[in-house]
Amino acid sequence: MTRFLDPLKSDMPLHGWGGLGVHGREALGENLAEITEGKPLTRGLGRSYGDAGLPAPGDEVIAGSRMANRFLDWNPDTGVLRAEAGVSLNELRRVFLPKGWFTPVSPGTSFVTLGGMVASDVHGKGHHSAGTFGEHLTSLTMRLANGEIVTCGPDDKPDLFWATTGGMGLTGHILDVSFKMRAVPSPWIYAERKQCPNLDSLLEHLEEAAEAYPMTVGWIDCLSTGRNLGRGILMQGRWAELHETPAKYPADGGGPSVPFTFPNWALNDVTLKGFNWAYYHKEFKGFRSGVESTQTWWYPLDGIGNWSRIYGKRGFTQHQAVFPKAVGRKVIRQYVELIAMLGGSSFLCVIKDCRAEAPGTLSFPMEGISIALDFPMRADTQAIVDRLNEFVIEHGGRIYLAKDALTRREHFEAMEGERLTKFMEIRRKYDPDLTIRSRLSARLMDPEVER
Amino acid sequence: MRAAIIGATKGMGRQLARRMAERGDMIAILGRSEASLQAATTDLQIRGAAEVHPIVFDLADADGHRKGLRAIEGALGHIDAIIITAGGFDTQEGLESDLERTARILDLNYTKTVLFCEHARKSLMDQQGGGKLVVFTSVAGDKGRKTVGLYGSSKAGLSHYLDSLDARYRDAGLVTINVKPGFIRTSMTAGLPEPPFAGEPDQVAVDVLKAMEKQLPTVYTPSIWALVMLVIKHLPKFVMRKVGF
Ligand SMILES: Cc1cc2nc3c(=O)[nH]c(=O)nc-3n(C[C@H](O)[C@H](O)[C@H](O)COP(=O)(O)OP(=O)(O)OC[C@H]3O[C@@H](n4cnc5c(N)ncnc54)[C@H](O)[C@@H]3O)c2cc1C
Ligand SMILES: NC(=O)c1ccc[n+]([C@@H]2O[C@H](COP(=O)([O-])OP(=O)(O)OC[C@H]3O[C@@H](n4cnc5c(N)ncnc54)[C@H](OP(=O)(O)O)[C@@H]3O)[C@@H](O)[C@H]2O)c1
């Protein structure tokens, strides 16, 4: 039943962002409390790459939150917003940025829902200064497996609350989300970009930048080897002060769109090398700085609608791992060498230093270095993911479930150990029969049964 | 702008109300459920509406039409626009198998909507010498087709009425705008197989606000549907019998 399907196909099976599709249906509607009743899972805008938002084998209908997107309460004195779980970050930005407010944490796309941001406990370019989204929540309203509707928060059923942040929707349906917004001085970002000729230089700059800038991220050209191994671009930024910015409000970008799914041959090592070369050498030499719009800084890919179609019909996947700081640069270097050697044709390879262990029971970030890459689905993709995961396990790292489709159960158990045991305990406390489940939970953590 | 929207609790009407709230308009919202109206009011206030007035109202109840209009006049004072997105839908199969439901939907989409427009026309023209009347029909009303015949015929009738209203009263100050959405992802269409060119409610909201500013008599939204319907309208009947839509 599982296969990679053309996201354009009109029989509309449910699919993850990478194109992994299953047959099933989303129950959609404005009233989330109503449509989540009796459902095994809720999903948002489907921007997780793999199977986190897909029904478990045997399940058919799951709830979809995206039409439940009202703002419920806003207090500009405290900055606390309460909103339904289906509110998208794009809508939040459109309404609140002109008023001088922004989400405290943002992932690399604005087409995600608040519920999805909680369930993945998302992190962004500001992780070293702002932590994860879960750290800014004040409370959640949830529908539990037994149908009961409850609230939880850092001081209210904290076990349920922290298992829900980063819990991939497996503790219950998130109905509404209360969190503290961030007041910003302007709708613009002051950003600097630096070329770094190799990995050491990039890691050094990344560490340095974290001291001076609240937002940093690096892009690595994974296809370069030898002397150029790990060459890339470092981006560092902060919210621009009003006096630095243009007088006008940044234009709302409806950029170009990828109108059709590319043929599978379009993306190969040659076109990728060309792309990476062009990106590395882009319009600037060495260094560029200036003020740019929130969208350009946070969501460079959102400007290109349906960009995932360039991967063709077979779809793609992503792999994101974080390594503890203690492993040192040598291990990071070995990992990048491994990536280059495996030659997975990564289009985007993103490197980020994470600040500290997130408090969520199963949240992804820990203090150290995170590396994410996407690659098209090919016959050898499973083998590549396995090899990467073996390296991750060997060095005490872990992977990000929101990006994952192919990790094996035994690898996941080896990475998560006690954290997983604790997560399952809390899940069972609120849902003894594990009726809330997904394709991801069936793959990685639910008891293996014939369904 | 001061506008009344019938159907502001869901779908396209809701997104239109939101876009208007975000630019600081004063809005009266009309719908059947008090609770949904209250939640919509809070949402629109947070988004920046100058004022929001919830009014419980059922378009299917013709006896309440006059009272509904009085309530709008009372809430807004001057009325720049009355917008109607409220309507009923079911698939051709669903309607063929349940004629009572068919009767209710035909009655709501055609008779009751026309009757309410008549009250609105008089109110706008007599009390203030004109205004805008914006009514949602559908591309399904453009041509008799296999899949949306019963529903489409109610929208065809409504369209016919709106076009004549515009012809008759525009010079006297009543601007009638006939909005023809294509397939839009709302709870009305949730679960239906999606045709190409499916649109989002927010696109529709942006298109309708633009059309209101330009006072266009007809608007297809998303705009690609103008082209699609141009082609379909010119297909001969023997072809319509063959094709699957
Ligand atoms: C281009 C791109 C860039 C990205 N960049 C980043 C990044 O920088 N940092 C980062 O952390 N992530 C990033 N992501 C991943 C993304 O932020 C997460 O996958 C996020 O969860 C997607 O939100 P969604 O609304 O689409 O949720 P979906 O993908 O629909 O669902 C994701 C998970 O959340 C659960 N869920 C959703 N809504 C609810 C609810 N109401 N109640 C209970 N469970 C729910 C689902 O069951 C599922 O397990 C990126 C993704 C893309 C496509
Ligand atoms: N979606 C599409 O693809 C599509 C395509 C072409 C045309 N259309 C037409 O466009 C319009 C809007 O569609 P939509 O998809 O936005 O619909 P929707 O999501 O179902 O919203 C309909 C709105 O109308 C209100 N309503 C329904 N019956 C009512 C009544 N008797 N009295 C008062 N309010 C009533 C509903 O509110 P309550 O239920 O809270 O009362 C709701 O707010 C409809 O006329 C539809 O026929 C839709």
Side-chain angles (χ1 to χ4, degrees), chain B residues 7-12 31-32 57-60 85-87 108 136-138 151 155 181-184 186-189:
Chain B
T9 53
K10 291 179 186 161
M12 295 180 253
R32 292 171 296 183
F57 174 82
D58 184 354
L59 185 62
T85 70
L108 176 67
F136 280 51
T137 64
S138 172
Y151 164 81
K155 293 295 191 181
F183 185 101
I184 311 298
T186 69
S187 51
M188 185 178 270
T189 55

PDB file of all heavy atoms in Angstrom, chain B residues 7-12 31-32 57-60 85-87 108 136-138 151 155 181-184 186-189, ligand 2:
ATOM      1  N   GLY B   7     -22.826  34.344   6.086  1.00  0.00           N
ATOM      2  CA  GLY B   7     -21.974  33.183   5.803  1.00  0.00           C
ATOM      3  C   GLY B   7     -20.550  33.387   6.278  1.00  0.00           C
ATOM      4  O   GLY B   7     -19.643  32.740   5.775  1.00  0.00           O
ATOM      5  N   ALA B   8     -20.356  34.277   7.277  1.00  0.00           N
ATOM      6  CA  ALA B   8     -19.000  34.634   7.705  1.00  0.00           C
ATOM      7  C   ALA B   8     -18.397  33.657   8.706  1.00  0.00           C
ATOM      8  O   ALA B   8     -17.296  33.876   9.194  1.00  0.00           O
ATOM      9  CB  ALA B   8     -18.996  36.045   8.297  1.00  0.00           C
ATOM     10  N   THR B   9     -19.118  32.575   9.026  1.00  0.00           N
ATOM     11  CA  THR B   9     -18.563  31.663  10.029  1.00  0.00           C
ATOM     12  C   THR B   9     -17.724  30.542   9.422  1.00  0.00           C
ATOM     13  O   THR B   9     -17.023  29.840  10.132  1.00  0.00           O
ATOM     14  CB  THR B   9     -19.688  31.029  10.874  1.00  0.00           C
ATOM     15  OG1 THR B   9     -20.657  30.443   9.995  1.00  0.00           O
ATOM     16  CG2 THR B   9     -20.364  32.075  11.737  1.00  0.00           C
ATOM     17  N   LYS B  10     -17.804  30.370   8.123  1.00  0.00           N
ATOM     18  CA  LYS B  10     -17.067  29.275   7.491  1.00  0.00           C
ATOM     19  C   LYS B  10     -16.560  29.689   6.111  1.00  0.00           C
ATOM     20  O   LYS B  10     -17.027  30.662   5.528  1.00  0.00           O
ATOM     21  CB  LYS B  10     -17.985  28.064   7.271  1.00  0.00           C
ATOM     22  CG  LYS B  10     -18.434  27.352   8.508  1.00  0.00           C
ATOM     23  CD  LYS B  10     -19.361  26.206   8.128  1.00  0.00           C
ATOM     24  CE  LYS B  10     -19.944  25.556   9.357  1.00  0.00           C
ATOM     25  NZ  LYS B  10     -21.138  24.774   9.008  1.00  0.00           N
ATOM     26  N   GLY B  11     -15.658  28.864   5.598  1.00  0.00           N
ATOM     27  CA  GLY B  11     -15.288  28.910   4.189  1.00  0.00           C
ATOM     28  C   GLY B  11     -14.884  30.270   3.639  1.00  0.00           C
ATOM     29  O   GLY B  11     -14.137  31.023   4.255  1.00  0.00           O
ATOM     30  N   MET B  12     -15.399  30.568   2.452  1.00  0.00           N
ATOM     31  CA  MET B  12     -14.987  31.795   1.751  1.00  0.00           C
ATOM     32  C   MET B  12     -15.491  33.051   2.446  1.00  0.00           C
ATOM     33  O   MET B  12     -14.799  34.065   2.493  1.00  0.00           O
ATOM     34  CB  MET B  12     -15.499  31.749   0.315  1.00  0.00           C
ATOM     35  CG  MET B  12     -14.855  30.641  -0.485  1.00  0.00           C
ATOM     36  SD  MET B  12     -15.477  30.624  -2.175  1.00  0.00           S
ATOM     37  CE  MET B  12     -16.514  29.188  -2.162  1.00  0.00           C
ATOM     38  N   GLY B  31     -25.397  34.610  10.680  1.00  0.00           N
ATOM     39  CA  GLY B  31     -25.369  33.161  10.530  1.00  0.00           C
ATOM     40  C   GLY B  31     -26.340  32.533  11.503  1.00  0.00           C
ATOM     41  O   GLY B  31     -26.966  33.228  12.307  1.00  0.00           O
ATOM     42  N   ARG B  32     -26.451  31.188  11.411  1.00  0.00           N
ATOM     43  CA  ARG B  32     -27.484  30.523  12.190  1.00  0.00           C
ATOM     44  C   ARG B  32     -27.082  30.204  13.616  1.00  0.00           C
ATOM     45  O   ARG B  32     -27.923  30.103  14.490  1.00  0.00           O
ATOM     46  CB  ARG B  32     -27.884  29.214  11.488  1.00  0.00           C
ATOM     47  CG  ARG B  32     -28.594  29.458  10.176  1.00  0.00           C
ATOM     48  CD  ARG B  32     -28.769  28.165   9.415  1.00  0.00           C
ATOM     49  NE  ARG B  32     -27.470  27.595   9.029  1.00  0.00           N
ATOM     50  CZ  ARG B  32     -27.311  26.503   8.308  1.00  0.00           C
ATOM     51  NH1 ARG B  32     -28.375  25.837   7.910  1.00  0.00           N
ATOM     52  NH2 ARG B  32     -26.126  26.064   7.989  1.00  0.00           N
ATOM     53  N   PHE B  57     -29.269  34.803  12.275  1.00  0.00           N
ATOM     54  CA  PHE B  57     -30.094  34.991  11.093  1.00  0.00           C
ATOM     55  C   PHE B  57     -30.118  33.708  10.269  1.00  0.00           C
ATOM     56  O   PHE B  57     -29.088  33.069  10.089  1.00  0.00           O
ATOM     57  CB  PHE B  57     -29.493  36.135  10.256  1.00  0.00           C
ATOM     58  CG  PHE B  57     -30.151  36.351   8.924  1.00  0.00           C
ATOM     59  CD1 PHE B  57     -31.330  37.094   8.818  1.00  0.00           C
ATOM     60  CD2 PHE B  57     -29.580  35.835   7.764  1.00  0.00           C
ATOM     61  CE1 PHE B  57     -31.929  37.302   7.569  1.00  0.00           C
ATOM     62  CE2 PHE B  57     -30.171  36.047   6.524  1.00  0.00           C
ATOM     63  CZ  PHE B  57     -31.346  36.774   6.438  1.00  0.00           C
ATOM     64  N   ASP B  58     -31.302  33.336   9.784  1.00  0.00           N
ATOM     65  CA  ASP B  58     -31.390  32.155   8.916  1.00  0.00           C
ATOM     66  C   ASP B  58     -31.928  32.580   7.560  1.00  0.00           C
ATOM     67  O   ASP B  58     -33.077  32.999   7.441  1.00  0.00           O
ATOM     68  CB  ASP B  58     -32.311  31.109   9.567  1.00  0.00           C
ATOM     69  CG  ASP B  58     -32.360  29.815   8.749  1.00  0.00           C
ATOM     70  OD1 ASP B  58     -31.773  29.778   7.644  1.00  0.00           O
ATOM     71  OD2 ASP B  58     -32.984  28.855   9.223  1.00  0.00           O
ATOM     72  N   LEU B  59     -31.100  32.454   6.539  1.00  0.00           N
ATOM     73  CA  LEU B  59     -31.495  32.868   5.196  1.00  0.00           C
ATOM     74  C   LEU B  59     -32.690  32.050   4.694  1.00  0.00           C
ATOM     75  O   LEU B  59     -33.471  32.516   3.867  1.00  0.00           O
ATOM     76  CB  LEU B  59     -30.296  32.713   4.247  1.00  0.00           C
ATOM     77  CG  LEU B  59     -30.452  33.200   2.806  1.00  0.00           C
ATOM     78  CD1 LEU B  59     -30.723  34.696   2.756  1.00  0.00           C
ATOM     79  CD2 LEU B  59     -29.194  32.889   1.991  1.00  0.00           C
ATOM     80  N   ALA B  60     -32.832  30.837   5.213  1.00  0.00           N
ATOM     81  CA  ALA B  60     -33.924  29.967   4.767  1.00  0.00           C
ATOM     82  C   ALA B  60     -35.285  30.426   5.296  1.00  0.00           C
ATOM     83  O   ALA B  60     -36.321  29.982   4.821  1.00  0.00           O
ATOM     84  CB  ALA B  60     -33.655  28.529   5.204  1.00  0.00           C
ATOM     85  N   THR B  85     -22.561  34.764   1.060  1.00  0.00           N
ATOM     86  CA  THR B  85     -21.886  33.521   0.645  1.00  0.00           C
ATOM     87  C   THR B  85     -22.698  32.311   1.081  1.00  0.00           C
ATOM     88  O   THR B  85     -22.429  31.203   0.630  1.00  0.00           O
ATOM     89  CB  THR B  85     -20.463  33.394   1.231  1.00  0.00           C
ATOM     90  OG1 THR B  85     -20.564  33.167   2.636  1.00  0.00           O
ATOM     91  CG2 THR B  85     -19.640  34.630   0.979  1.00  0.00           C
ATOM     92  N   ALA B  86     -23.647  32.502   1.987  1.00  0.00           N
ATOM     93  CA  ALA B  86     -24.441  31.379   2.498  1.00  0.00           C
ATOM     94  C   ALA B  86     -25.097  30.634   1.346  1.00  0.00           C
ATOM     95  O   ALA B  86     -25.567  31.240   0.383  1.00  0.00           O
ATOM     96  CB  ALA B  86     -25.504  31.886   3.461  1.00  0.00           C
ATOM     97  N   GLY B  87     -25.108  29.321   1.448  1.00  0.00           N
ATOM     98  CA  GLY B  87     -25.702  28.516   0.396  1.00  0.00           C
ATOM     99  C   GLY B  87     -25.584  27.060   0.785  1.00  0.00           C
ATOM    100  O   GLY B  87     -24.874  26.720   1.725  1.00  0.00           O
ATOM    101  N   LEU B 108     -33.206  27.362  -0.873  1.00  0.00           N
ATOM    102  CA  LEU B 108     -32.265  28.286  -0.215  1.00  0.00           C
ATOM    103  C   LEU B 108     -31.425  29.039  -1.246  1.00  0.00           C
ATOM    104  O   LEU B 108     -31.327  30.265  -1.222  1.00  0.00           O
ATOM    105  CB  LEU B 108     -31.356  27.501   0.740  1.00  0.00           C
ATOM    106  CG  LEU B 108     -30.252  28.313   1.426  1.00  0.00           C
ATOM    107  CD1 LEU B 108     -30.851  29.325   2.401  1.00  0.00           C
ATOM    108  CD2 LEU B 108     -29.264  27.407   2.158  1.00  0.00           C
ATOM    109  N   PHE B 136     -22.544  35.126  -4.006  1.00  0.00           N
ATOM    110  CA  PHE B 136     -21.782  33.978  -4.506  1.00  0.00           C
ATOM    111  C   PHE B 136     -22.691  33.012  -5.248  1.00  0.00           C
ATOM    112  O   PHE B 136     -23.617  32.466  -4.681  1.00  0.00           O
ATOM    113  CB  PHE B 136     -21.095  33.248  -3.350  1.00  0.00           C
ATOM    114  CG  PHE B 136     -19.823  33.913  -2.902  1.00  0.00           C
ATOM    115  CD1 PHE B 136     -19.793  35.276  -2.605  1.00  0.00           C
ATOM    116  CD2 PHE B 136     -18.651  33.185  -2.772  1.00  0.00           C
ATOM    117  CE1 PHE B 136     -18.618  35.903  -2.197  1.00  0.00           C
ATOM    118  CE2 PHE B 136     -17.473  33.802  -2.359  1.00  0.00           C
ATOM    119  CZ  PHE B 136     -17.456  35.157  -2.068  1.00  0.00           C
ATOM    120  N   THR B 137     -22.426  32.831  -6.541  1.00  0.00           N
ATOM    121  CA  THR B 137     -23.098  31.777  -7.294  1.00  0.00           C
ATOM    122  C   THR B 137     -22.074  30.662  -7.484  1.00  0.00           C
ATOM    123  O   THR B 137     -21.464  30.249  -6.505  1.00  0.00           O
ATOM    124  CB  THR B 137     -23.660  32.294  -8.624  1.00  0.00           C
ATOM    125  OG1 THR B 137     -22.589  32.722  -9.461  1.00  0.00           O
ATOM    126  CG2 THR B 137     -24.626  33.440  -8.392  1.00  0.00           C
ATOM    127  N   SER B 138     -21.820  30.225  -8.705  1.00  0.00           N
ATOM    128  CA  SER B 138     -20.833  29.166  -8.902  1.00  0.00           C
ATOM    129  C   SER B 138     -20.576  28.958 -10.382  1.00  0.00           C
ATOM    130  O   SER B 138     -21.447  29.217 -11.207  1.00  0.00           O
ATOM    131  CB  SER B 138     -21.356  27.857  -8.316  1.00  0.00           C
ATOM    132  OG  SER B 138     -20.486  26.792  -8.671  1.00  0.00           O
ATOM    133  N   TYR B 151     -27.688  21.125  -8.163  1.00  0.00           N
ATOM    134  CA  TYR B 151     -27.098  22.266  -7.473  1.00  0.00           C
ATOM    135  C   TYR B 151     -26.829  23.405  -8.462  1.00  0.00           C
ATOM    136  O   TYR B 151     -27.187  24.559  -8.222  1.00  0.00           O
ATOM    137  CB  TYR B 151     -25.803  21.817  -6.782  1.00  0.00           C
ATOM    138  CG  TYR B 151     -24.873  22.921  -6.353  1.00  0.00           C
ATOM    139  CD1 TYR B 151     -25.111  23.619  -5.169  1.00  0.00           C
ATOM    140  CD2 TYR B 151     -23.747  23.265  -7.111  1.00  0.00           C
ATOM    141  CE1 TYR B 151     -24.246  24.639  -4.757  1.00  0.00           C
ATOM    142  CE2 TYR B 151     -22.885  24.273  -6.709  1.00  0.00           C
ATOM    143  CZ  TYR B 151     -23.136  24.956  -5.535  1.00  0.00           C
ATOM    144  OH  TYR B 151     -22.290  25.954  -5.136  1.00  0.00           O
ATOM    145  N   LYS B 155     -27.855  27.710  -8.926  1.00  0.00           N
ATOM    146  CA  LYS B 155     -26.891  28.798  -9.085  1.00  0.00           C
ATOM    147  C   LYS B 155     -27.075  29.484 -10.444  1.00  0.00           C
ATOM    148  O   LYS B 155     -26.830  30.682 -10.582  1.00  0.00           O
ATOM    149  CB  LYS B 155     -25.460  28.261  -8.948  1.00  0.00           C
ATOM    150  CG  LYS B 155     -25.133  27.753  -7.542  1.00  0.00           C
ATOM    151  CD  LYS B 155     -25.143  28.866  -6.510  1.00  0.00           C
ATOM    152  CE  LYS B 155     -24.554  28.421  -5.181  1.00  0.00           C
ATOM    153  NZ  LYS B 155     -24.589  29.483  -4.165  1.00  0.00           N
ATOM    154  N   PRO B 181     -17.141  31.156  -7.893  1.00  0.00           N
ATOM    155  CA  PRO B 181     -15.950  30.394  -7.513  1.00  0.00           C
ATOM    156  C   PRO B 181     -15.862  29.104  -8.314  1.00  0.00           C
ATOM    157  O   PRO B 181     -16.887  28.528  -8.695  1.00  0.00           O
ATOM    158  CB  PRO B 181     -16.175  30.067  -6.027  1.00  0.00           C
ATOM    159  CG  PRO B 181     -17.360  30.877  -5.592  1.00  0.00           C
ATOM    160  CD  PRO B 181     -18.159  31.142  -6.830  1.00  0.00           C
ATOM    161  N   GLY B 182     -14.628  28.668  -8.553  1.00  0.00           N
ATOM    162  CA  GLY B 182     -14.393  27.322  -9.075  1.00  0.00           C
ATOM    163  C   GLY B 182     -14.419  26.366  -7.902  1.00  0.00           C
ATOM    164  O   GLY B 182     -15.108  26.609  -6.923  1.00  0.00           O
ATOM    165  N   PHE B 183     -13.655  25.293  -7.969  1.00  0.00           N
ATOM    166  CA  PHE B 183     -13.594  24.366  -6.837  1.00  0.00           C
ATOM    167  C   PHE B 183     -12.698  24.978  -5.763  1.00  0.00           C
ATOM    168  O   PHE B 183     -11.528  25.257  -6.005  1.00  0.00           O
ATOM    169  CB  PHE B 183     -13.025  23.026  -7.297  1.00  0.00           C
ATOM    170  CG  PHE B 183     -13.041  21.967  -6.215  1.00  0.00           C
ATOM    171  CD1 PHE B 183     -14.024  20.994  -6.202  1.00  0.00           C
ATOM    172  CD2 PHE B 183     -12.074  21.946  -5.213  1.00  0.00           C
ATOM    173  CE1 PHE B 183     -14.043  20.008  -5.218  1.00  0.00           C
ATOM    174  CE2 PHE B 183     -12.091  20.979  -4.222  1.00  0.00           C
ATOM    175  CZ  PHE B 183     -13.079  20.004  -4.223  1.00  0.00           C
ATOM    176  N   ILE B 184     -13.257  25.193  -4.573  1.00  0.00           N
ATOM    177  CA  ILE B 184     -12.491  25.810  -3.480  1.00  0.00           C
ATOM    178  C   ILE B 184     -12.436  24.858  -2.295  1.00  0.00           C
ATOM    179  O   ILE B 184     -13.432  24.217  -1.960  1.00  0.00           O
ATOM    180  CB  ILE B 184     -13.146  27.128  -3.025  1.00  0.00           C
ATOM    181  CG1 ILE B 184     -13.475  28.032  -4.225  1.00  0.00           C
ATOM    182  CG2 ILE B 184     -12.245  27.860  -2.028  1.00  0.00           C
ATOM    183  CD1 ILE B 184     -12.298  28.490  -5.033  1.00  0.00           C
ATOM    184  N   THR B 186     -13.018  24.126   0.957  1.00  0.00           N
ATOM    185  CA  THR B 186     -13.704  24.516   2.192  1.00  0.00           C
ATOM    186  C   THR B 186     -14.372  23.266   2.743  1.00  0.00           C
ATOM    187  O   THR B 186     -14.329  22.210   2.111  1.00  0.00           O
ATOM    188  CB  THR B 186     -14.789  25.580   1.929  1.00  0.00           C
ATOM    189  OG1 THR B 186     -15.855  24.961   1.188  1.00  0.00           O
ATOM    190  CG2 THR B 186     -14.258  26.758   1.145  1.00  0.00           C
ATOM    191  N   SER B 187     -15.047  23.393   3.888  1.00  0.00           N
ATOM    192  CA  SER B 187     -15.675  22.183   4.427  1.00  0.00           C
ATOM    193  C   SER B 187     -16.829  21.717   3.539  1.00  0.00           C
ATOM    194  O   SER B 187     -17.235  20.572   3.573  1.00  0.00           O
ATOM    195  CB  SER B 187     -16.139  22.390   5.871  1.00  0.00           C
ATOM    196  OG  SER B 187     -16.918  23.537   5.987  1.00  0.00           O
ATOM    197  N   MET B 188     -17.347  22.632   2.698  1.00  0.00           N
ATOM    198  CA  MET B 188     -18.397  22.251   1.756  1.00  0.00           C
ATOM    199  C   MET B 188     -17.913  21.178   0.773  1.00  0.00           C
ATOM    200  O   MET B 188     -18.653  20.291   0.386  1.00  0.00           O
ATOM    201  CB  MET B 188     -18.866  23.493   0.981  1.00  0.00           C
ATOM    202  CG  MET B 188     -20.037  23.257   0.045  1.00  0.00           C
ATOM    203  SD  MET B 188     -20.556  24.778  -0.797  1.00  0.00           S
ATOM    204  CE  MET B 188     -21.759  25.441   0.327  1.00  0.00           C
ATOM    205  N   THR B 189     -16.651  21.269   0.381  1.00  0.00           N
ATOM    206  CA  THR B 189     -16.125  20.345  -0.630  1.00  0.00           C
ATOM    207  C   THR B 189     -15.199  19.288  -0.032  1.00  0.00           C
ATOM    208  O   THR B 189     -14.634  18.480  -0.775  1.00  0.00           O
ATOM    209  CB  THR B 189     -15.342  21.119  -1.705  1.00  0.00           C
ATOM    210  OG1 THR B 189     -14.327  21.890  -1.043  1.00  0.00           O
ATOM    211  CG2 THR B 189     -16.229  22.036  -2.498  1.00  0.00           C
TER     212      THR B 189
HETATM  213  N1  LIG C   2     -16.581  25.552  -2.035  1.00  0.00           N
HETATM  214  C1  LIG C   2     -16.715  25.526  -3.344  1.00  0.00           C
HETATM  215  O1  LIG C   2     -15.990  24.839  -4.038  1.00  0.00           O
HETATM  216  C2  LIG C   2     -17.755  26.373  -4.055  1.00  0.00           C
HETATM  217  C3  LIG C   2     -17.695  26.449  -5.444  1.00  0.00           C
HETATM  218  C4  LIG C   2     -18.596  27.255  -6.106  1.00  0.00           C
HETATM  219  C5  LIG C   2     -19.542  27.980  -5.388  1.00  0.00           C
HETATM  220  N2  LIG C   2     -19.594  27.877  -4.037  1.00  0.00           N
HETATM  221  C6  LIG C   2     -20.599  28.695  -3.350  1.00  0.00           C
HETATM  222  O2  LIG C   2     -19.929  29.676  -2.586  1.00  0.00           O
HETATM  223  C7  LIG C   2     -20.625  29.942  -1.378  1.00  0.00           C
HETATM  224  C8  LIG C   2     -19.731  29.744  -0.181  1.00  0.00           C
HETATM  225  O3  LIG C   2     -19.227  28.426  -0.167  1.00  0.00           O
HETATM  226  P1  LIG C   2     -18.284  27.867   1.004  1.00  0.00           P
HETATM  227  O4  LIG C   2     -17.561  26.713   0.431  1.00  0.00           O
HETATM  228  O5  LIG C   2     -17.551  28.981   1.601  1.00  0.00           O
HETATM  229  O6  LIG C   2     -19.402  27.300   2.008  1.00  0.00           O
HETATM  230  P2  LIG C   2     -19.312  26.863   3.535  1.00  0.00           P
HETATM  231  O7  LIG C   2     -17.906  26.697   3.943  1.00  0.00           O
HETATM  232  O8  LIG C   2     -20.251  25.742   3.708  1.00  0.00           O
HETATM  233  O9  LIG C   2     -19.917  28.143   4.286  1.00  0.00           O
HETATM  234  C9  LIG C   2     -21.256  28.466   4.155  1.00  0.00           C
HETATM  235  C10 LIG C   2     -21.599  29.581   5.117  1.00  0.00           C
HETATM  236  O10 LIG C   2     -22.959  29.943   4.959  1.00  0.00           O
HETATM  237  C11 LIG C   2     -23.652  29.894   6.196  1.00  0.00           C
HETATM  238  N3  LIG C   2     -25.008  29.434   5.958  1.00  0.00           N
HETATM  239  C12 LIG C   2     -25.399  28.282   5.362  1.00  0.00           C
HETATM  240  N4  LIG C   2     -26.743  28.211   5.331  1.00  0.00           N
HETATM  241  C13 LIG C   2     -27.203  29.338   5.925  1.00  0.00           C
HETATM  242  C14 LIG C   2     -28.512  29.841   6.212  1.00  0.00           C
HETATM  243  N5  LIG C   2     -29.604  29.152   5.888  1.00  0.00           N
HETATM  244  N6  LIG C   2     -28.611  31.017   6.823  1.00  0.00           N
HETATM  245  C15 LIG C   2     -27.515  31.720   7.173  1.00  0.00           C
HETATM  246  N7  LIG C   2     -26.253  31.310   6.931  1.00  0.00           N
HETATM  247  C16 LIG C   2     -26.110  30.120   6.327  1.00  0.00           C
HETATM  248  C17 LIG C   2     -22.847  28.925   7.046  1.00  0.00           C
HETATM  249  O11 LIG C   2     -22.928  29.281   8.417  1.00  0.00           O
HETATM  250  P3  LIG C   2     -23.611  28.390   9.548  1.00  0.00           P
HETATM  251  O12 LIG C   2     -23.584  26.952   9.073  1.00  0.00           O
HETATM  252  O13 LIG C   2     -22.779  28.638  10.753  1.00  0.00           O
HETATM  253  O14 LIG C   2     -24.984  28.940   9.669  1.00  0.00           O
HETATM  254  C18 LIG C   2     -21.424  29.198   6.565  1.00  0.00           C
HETATM  255  O15 LIG C   2     -20.862  30.275   7.256  1.00  0.00           O
HETATM  256  C19 LIG C   2     -21.842  29.023  -1.407  1.00  0.00           C
HETATM  257  O16 LIG C   2     -22.930  29.744  -1.880  1.00  0.00           O
HETATM  258  C20 LIG C   2     -21.457  27.925  -2.381  1.00  0.00           C
HETATM  259  O17 LIG C   2     -22.593  27.384  -3.007  1.00  0.00           O
HETATM  260  C21 LIG C   2     -18.713  27.091  -3.365  1.00  0.00           C
END
